[in-house]
Amino acid sequence: MGSRRLAVAETASESGGLPSRYLTPDDLVVMFDLPSVETVYQWRRKRTGPRGFRVGRHLRYDSADVRAWVESLREGAAA
């Protein structure tokens, strides 16, 4: 998984923070330095994380939705 982390990091740095493709739960683990992918699934179950969607059985996230979610967290923290 080390090469995948590197690829996500390189893509993210080129585009100003987030890759321009749909993100996987593993991508979110790498981007937010989460303990495991289970954290992402817990966010989904509790409806506290970014909005995701299924492509068949695969969970994906739009980078714009992830960015909006992060901004909403930042606005909430500033209040």
Side-chain angles (χ1 to χ4, degrees):
M1 180 150 35
S3 63
R4 176 146 173 86
R5 288 178 188 245
L6 181 60
V8 169
E10 288 173 353
T11 306
S13 65
E14 293 169 2
S15 66
L18 292 173
S20 60
R21 60 180 174 73
Y22 290 123
L23 304 170
T24 67
D26 286 328
D27 292 335
L28 296 184
V29 169
V30 171
M31 287 179 358
F32 296 114
D33 195 26
L34 301 172
S36 73
V37 73
E38 184 58 33
T39 302
V40 177
Y41 292 121
Q42 286 178 16
W43 287 348
R44 185 163 168 84
R45 279 193 300 273
K46 295 176 182 177
R47 298 179 188 255
T48 58
R51 186 174 62 172
F53 61 96
R54 292 235 174 241
V55 178
R57 65 180 188 154
H58 303 284
L59 182 59
R60 296 292 181 259
Y61 294 90
D62 188 330
S63 59
D65 290 336
V66 174
R67 184 176 291 113
W69 175 71
V70 168
E71 287 301 317
S72 73
L73 294 175
R74 292 173 68 180
E75 289 172 5

